[in-house]
């Protein structure tokens, strides 16, 4: 599974570019995402906008685009009155829209005399349990005393099965805020990571990444140690990439350097803009905001520190990703290799 990632990074010139904020760009296109499903509501109401956002990030130079399923869950859709099969169909649609955008964009790229893009990979997003709760707990890691690891596994299981069957190139577990979601239980063979155990139980053959979130650059949002979670992830061949997302940019370089000491896996980082989301009030709070030029400079430093995949999360835009792509690999030279052309 690591081979898929190695090939992607090699074709990208040493560091692959991940796309940017999805809900941010949907709002820029006029979507109303003031909904418990957040950006996933557009899977029901405006799927054409989802495809348009994917296209914008591909045009900006993204080597990986992430599906609109971060907050798309079967319980969430059922609560909206949809049937089980409809809910599962929307999960598949989230992947299919990304695949369609990728394939259409790649086809158009091949008609140009001097192509400057790689054939992007599609990652199916799986958000944390806290994202489903939509109560701010995805930013604190506090799910309550009655939430055990087995319940978290059961929550993620069917969504993982459906998304993996839809044909993505990668599975992206995003913004995991606490060790509880990462830890299943104590067993005779030691602590077992909940998401890793699911990947093993379901024999998922799609390479996966697991990214955590942090508010201080030293711990998960819950205050727990990155090191304890990395120790578990390091033992799994199912997990090809580890990293952080939805984390303030000023902490990213330090996190990369710490991860490099504790893992040999590829490292992905895609921070937010630096603004802070108030999950209870449902609004962004003023904070140090990093614009396009700052991301240029920081992206180079993150690559030098050891990141293999770099992009953006909340409040970043195609302009951000265009700047990152240009900074990391330059847009004035052809990026398509013979191998990528042969993969069509």
């Amino acid at each position: 599974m690591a081979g898929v990632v190695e090939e992607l990074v090699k074709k990208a010139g040493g560091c692959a570019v991940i796309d940017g904020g999805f809900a941010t760009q949907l709002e820029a296109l006029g979507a109303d995402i003031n909904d418990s499903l957040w950006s996933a509501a557009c899977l029901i109401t405006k799927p054409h906008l989802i495809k348009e956002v994917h296209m914008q990030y591909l045009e900006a130079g993204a080597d990986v685009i992430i599906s609109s399923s971060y907050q798309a869950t079967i319980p969430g859709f059922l609560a909206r009155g949809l049937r089980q099969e409809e809910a599962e169909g929307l999960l598949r649609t989230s992947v299919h829209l990304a695949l369609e955008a990728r394939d259409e964009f790649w086809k158009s790229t091949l008609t140009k005399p001097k192509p400057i893009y790689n054939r992007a990979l599609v990652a199916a997003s799986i958000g944390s349990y806290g994202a489903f709760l939509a109560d701010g707990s995805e930013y604190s890691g506090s799910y309550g005393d009655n939430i055990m690891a087995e319940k978290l596994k059961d929550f993620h299981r069917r969504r993982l099965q459906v998304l993996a069957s839809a044909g993505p190139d990668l599975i992206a577990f995003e913004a995991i805020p606490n060790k509880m979601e990462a830890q299943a239980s104590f067993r005779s063979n030691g602590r077992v990571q909940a998401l890793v155990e699911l990947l093993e139980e379901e024999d998922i053959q799609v390479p996966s990444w697991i990214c955590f979130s942090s508010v201080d650059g030293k711990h998960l949002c819950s205050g727990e140690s990155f090191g304890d979670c990395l120790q578990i992830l390091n033992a799994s061949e199912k997990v090809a990439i580890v990293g952080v997302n939805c984390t303030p940019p000023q902490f990213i370089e330090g996190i990369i350097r710490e991860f490099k000491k504790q893992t040999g896996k590829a490292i992905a980082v895609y921070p937010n803009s630096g603004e802070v989301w108030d999950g209870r009030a449902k609004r962004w709070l003023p904070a140090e905001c990093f614009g396009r030029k700052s991301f240029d400079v920081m992206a180079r430093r993150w690559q030098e520190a050891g990141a293999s995949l770099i992009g953006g999360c909340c409040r970043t835009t195609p302009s951000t990703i265009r700047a990152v792509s240009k900074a990391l690999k330059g847009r004035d030279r052809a990026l398509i290799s013979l191998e990528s052309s042969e993969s069509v």
Side-chain angles (χ1 to χ4, degrees), residues 126 152-153 156 160 173 176 181-183 193-200 210:
I126 297 180
L152 292 173
K153 285 171 56 181
H156 286 297
L160 172 61
F173 293 98
I176 304 303
E181 194 150 12
Q183 181 182 325
Q193 205 270 355
L195 300 177
V196 169
E197 187 170 274
L198 262 184
L199 293 170
E200 296 289 348
I210 295 180

Side-chain angles (χ1 to χ4, degrees), residues 35-333:
D35 191 288
S36 61
L37 293 174
W38 198 38
S39 57
C42 287
L43 287 167
I44 303 171
T45 60
K46 295 184 177 180
H48 66 284
L49 291 185
I50 291 174
K51 190 171 179 179
E52 175 61 23
V53 172
H54 288 315
M55 284 291 196
Q56 290 181 353
Y57 279 118
L58 289 164
E59 177 67 32
D63 300 304
V64 181
I65 56 173
I66 302 174
S67 72
S68 55
S69 51
Y70 174 78
Q71 205 149 337
T73 67
I74 293 173
F77 288 135
L78 293 179
R80 291 287 290 270
L82 277 68
R83 299 188 304 273
Q84 177 81 17
E85 57 269 27
E86 291 174 320
E88 293 184 6
L90 288 172
L91 288 173
R92 294 187 185 93
T93 294
S94 71
V95 176
H96 294 163
L97 287 170
L99 291 170
E100 289 171 11
R102 186 273 307 277
D103 292 344
E104 290 175 18
F105 184 79
W106 180 244
K107 184 177 181 180
S108 69
T109 292
L110 293 177
T111 65
K112 298 177 181 179
K114 291 185 178 181
I116 57 172
Y117 298 96
N118 294 306
R119 183 176 184 272
L121 298 187
V122 170
S125 173
I126 297 180
S128 69
Y129 179 68
F132 159 69
L133 295 176
D135 61 358
S137 60
E138 66 185 301
Y139 302 101
S140 67
S142 178
Y143 293 167
D145 295 337
N146 64 328
I147 302 299
M148 298 290 101
E150 289 299 323
K151 181 172 182 176
L152 292 173
K153 285 171 56 181
D154 290 341
F155 169 78
H156 286 297
R157 188 181 306 278
R158 184 56 185 160
R159 178 165 56 156
L160 172 61
Q161 293 171 340
V162 172
L163 288 172
S165 71
D169 303 296
L170 300 162
I171 298 289
F173 293 98
E174 301 190 274
I176 304 303
N178 59 38
K179 186 179 176 182
M180 179 178 64
E181 194 150 12
Q183 181 182 325
S185 61
F186 283 94
R187 293 188 178 181
S188 60
N189 60 347
R191 265 179 257 185
V192 184
Q193 205 270 355
L195 300 177
V196 169
E197 187 170 274
L198 262 184
L199 293 170
E200 296 289 348
E201 289 176 0
E202 301 302 325
D203 194 25
I204 300 300
Q205 297 301 306
V206 183
S208 298
W209 82 48
I210 295 180
C211 284
F212 301 101
S213 55
S214 174
V215 294
D216 65 1
K218 298 181 183 298
H219 310 87
L220 280 71
C221 287
S222 60
E224 295 162 313
S225 165
F226 284 126
D228 288 347
C229 293
L230 287 174
Q231 185 177 3
I232 300 167
L233 301 188
N234 286 341
S236 173
E237 294 183 358
K238 300 286 189 182
V239 180
I241 303 167
V242 298
V244 292
N245 72 293
C246 211
T247 295
Q250 62 266 33
F251 298 138
I252 297 299
E253 185 176 349
I255 291 174
I256 296 169
R257 296 190 185 282
E258 186 60 32
F259 273 39
K260 287 293 288 185
K261 297 176 185 177
Q262 301 190 54
T263 185
K265 294 183 183 293
I267 297 172
V269 294
Y270 47 118
N272 56 36
S273 67
E275 296 162 272
V276 179
W277 174 250
D278 185 333
R280 294 189 179 277
K282 307 293 185 185
R283 64 188 180 93
W284 290 97
L285 301 177
E288 185 174 9
C289 183
F290 293 82
R292 178 176 56 82
K293 292 183 180 180
S294 293
F295 259 81
D296 296 8
V297 176
M298 290 187 291
R300 294 190 188 98
R301 293 182 64 90
W302 299 337
Q303 181 184 21
E304 291 169 1
S308 297
L309 301 95
I310 295 174
C313 198
C314 297
R315 306 287 276 183
T316 62
T317 68
S319 294
T320 311
I321 300 309
R322 186 172 292 108
V324 169
S325 179
K326 185 175 181 180
L328 295 179
K329 56 194 179 187
R331 295 297 298 279
D332 59 343
R333 61 184 178 88

